[in-house]
Amino acid sequence: MFPLSPNASAELKRHAEEYIIARLPQLPLGQRITLARRGPARVAGALIATGHAQVLEIALDNPRLTEPRF
């Protein structure tokens, strides 16, 4: 994995998130847990969608995961 700089363009961040999300099924549990804890909201959401109980619990505590505003 590679860290995303706060100065990276939005398009680059989106592509990086898509790449990570596409690779989620092949990642070891430890990496999925780390992404659930510290990853961007889109990645945390994708991890929640997988339904793995251990990852789900951690992803729900991710500070970047927020409720959508309507």
Side-chain angles (χ1 to χ4, degrees):
M1 294 298 146
F2 49 90
L4 292 177
S5 167
N7 298 330
S9 73
E11 184 177 348
L12 178 61
K13 287 181 183 182
R14 185 178 52 80
H15 284 297
E17 290 172 358
E18 288 173 4
Y19 175 77
I20 292 169
I21 291 169
R23 293 206 47 219
L24 286 178
Q26 295 107 16
L27 294 179
L29 179 59
Q31 287 182 350
R32 284 184 275 153
I33 289 172
T34 299
L35 285 169
R37 183 176 290 122
R38 300 176 57 196
R42 284 185 65 209
V43 174
L47 286 163
I48 289 170
T50 65
H52 189 280
Q54 192 174 7
V55 175
L56 172 70
E57 192 173 314
I58 294 168
L60 289 173
D61 287 333
N62 183 321
R64 292 174 187 88
L65 194 64
T66 58
E67 294 181 30
R69 296 181 186 188
F70 294 102

